[in-house]
């Protein structure tokens, strides 16, 4: 919500800065030469991690309006989840073994996806900025494959550490400490009333509740 962004960032007259940055991302995504460069950079940065698969760009067949890349064979998370539940569009009824195998592949994908995210956040500093299920594949050789490199994010070390710390503080509902994470991430500018920001966070996010041991945070209160 823009009102919440204004409260935290204290940029009531400069909200257009955020819109400009968002618009730049959209424009960049329309130029496939930029996406090709992003994909190559992401591949070069993460090629040493054996569990990560990034398709190669075929530069000789790529233009501003055409992006040609290596084909990534594999299953996406939604397909694996459906198979694990016994739902398949091509097989009338899945056996228990097929469902268990699909569940094992899904869990392996989740584990490797989390590890890949931590590698990006804590080691390489180059993040895939749109890792939704449609952009992920579980390859036949058991790697996590990434697709769609229109948006990447490069993070400074201090921002990486602060983001990791912020996750812990959000899960614990420690809004006062979260404010200092936001300062480290340059979200909260200098000379901001930190007590007011903390109160805004408490009012917006409230108390963290747990369902089955998993924190349930209401970001849309």
């Amino acid at each position: 919500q823009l009102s919440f962004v204004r409260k935290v960032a204290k940029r009531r007259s400069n909200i257009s800065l955020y819109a400009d940055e968002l618009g730049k991302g959209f424009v960049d995504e329309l130029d496939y030469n930029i996406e090709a460069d992003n994909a190559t950079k992401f591949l070069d940065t993460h090629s040493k991690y054996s569990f990560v698969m990034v398709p190669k760009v075929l530069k000789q067949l790529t233009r501003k309006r055409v992006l040609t890349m290596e084909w990534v064979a594999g299953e996406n998370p939604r397909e694996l989840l459906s198979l694990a539940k016994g739902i398949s569009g091509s097989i009338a009824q899945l056996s228990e073994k097929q469902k268990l195998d699909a569940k094992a592949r899904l869990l392996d994908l989740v584990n490797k996806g989390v590890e890949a995210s931590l590698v990006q956040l804590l080691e390489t500093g180059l993040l895939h900025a749109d890792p939704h299920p449609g952009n992920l594949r579980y390859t036949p050789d058991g790697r996590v494959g990434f697709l769609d490199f229109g948006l990447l994010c490069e993070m400074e070390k201090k921002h990486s550490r602060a983001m990791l710390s912020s996750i812990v503080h959000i899960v614990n509902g420690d809004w006062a400490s979260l404010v200092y994470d936001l300062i480290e991430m340059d979200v909260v500018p200098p000379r901001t009333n930190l007590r007011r920001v903390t109160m805004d966070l408490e009012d917006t996010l409230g108390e963290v509740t747990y369902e089955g041991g998993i924190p349930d945070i209401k970001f849309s209160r």
Side-chain angles (χ1 to χ4, degrees):
Q1 297 177 355
L2 291 181
S3 60
F4 178 61
V5 172
R6 290 192 184 100
K7 282 182 181 180
V8 174
K10 301 297 180 186
R11 291 180 180 267
R12 295 180 185 276
S13 61
N14 291 322
I15 199 68
S16 60
L17 293 174
Y18 299 99
D20 289 344
E21 187 65 23
L22 185 63
K24 180 179 180 298
F26 284 139
V27 171
D28 286 349
E29 281 208 86
L30 297 176
D31 186 341
Y32 286 130
N33 284 318
I34 294 176
E35 182 167 349
D37 290 340
N38 286 347
T40 300
K41 185 174 185 178
F42 196 82
L43 171 61
D44 292 343
T45 302
H46 298 96
S47 59
K48 66 180 180 180
Y49 300 98
S50 60
F51 60 92
V52 174
M53 192 278 173
V54 181
K56 296 177 181 177
V57 174
L58 303 180
K59 291 187 177 181
Q60 68 275 20
L61 299 176
T62 294
R63 301 289 185 272
K64 184 175 182 178
R65 294 287 179 251
V66 178
L67 175 61
T68 309
M69 303 181 72
E70 177 184 9
W71 180 260
V72 180
E75 302 163 294
N76 72 43
R78 291 194 182 96
E79 291 172 341
L80 287 173
L81 182 59
S82 294
L83 291 173
K85 292 180 177 179
I87 303 170
S88 173
S90 58
I91 303 175
Q93 186 171 0
L94 294 172
S95 68
E96 286 301 315
K97 183 179 185 306
Q98 287 173 315
K99 288 188 283 186
L100 288 174
D101 286 346
K103 184 177 181 180
R105 297 197 301 277
L106 178 60
L107 289 175
D108 193 38
L109 172 60
V110 170
N111 288 333
K112 288 174 178 173
V114 170
E115 187 174 356
S117 297
L118 291 174
V119 162
Q120 294 169 50
L121 180 61
L122 300 177
E123 295 186 24
T124 68
L126 184 65
L127 281 71
H128 189 295
D130 194 19
H132 62 75
N135 286 340
L136 299 174
R137 293 292 184 273
Y138 186 71
T139 66
D141 59 357
R143 292 183 291 170
V144 53
F146 286 89
L147 306 174
D148 189 350
F149 301 92
L151 291 174
L152 295 184
C153 175
E154 293 189 68
M155 298 190 68
E156 298 178 23
K157 281 293 183 183
K158 74 165 189 172
H159 292 159
S160 298
R161 290 192 294 268
M163 182 172 286
L164 183 64
S165 178
S166 72
I167 294 171
V168 175
H169 293 143
I170 289 172
V171 169
N172 291 331
D174 185 353
W175 311 128
S177 296
L178 177 60
V179 170
Y180 288 96
D181 297 328
L182 295 174
I183 292 172
E184 282 296 298
M185 287 188 278
D186 297 323
V187 173
V188 175
R191 297 182 298 279
T192 297
N193 185 331
L194 301 185
R195 186 171 181 274
R196 178 61 184 273
V197 175
T198 302
M199 292 172 62
D200 287 337
L201 286 170
E202 290 174 346
D203 180 60
T204 303
L205 302 177
E207 185 176 350
V208 177
T209 58
Y210 291 82
E211 294 184 7
I214 299 174
D216 182 25
I217 303 163
K218 301 293 191 298
F219 287 99
S220 58
R221 277 187 55 183

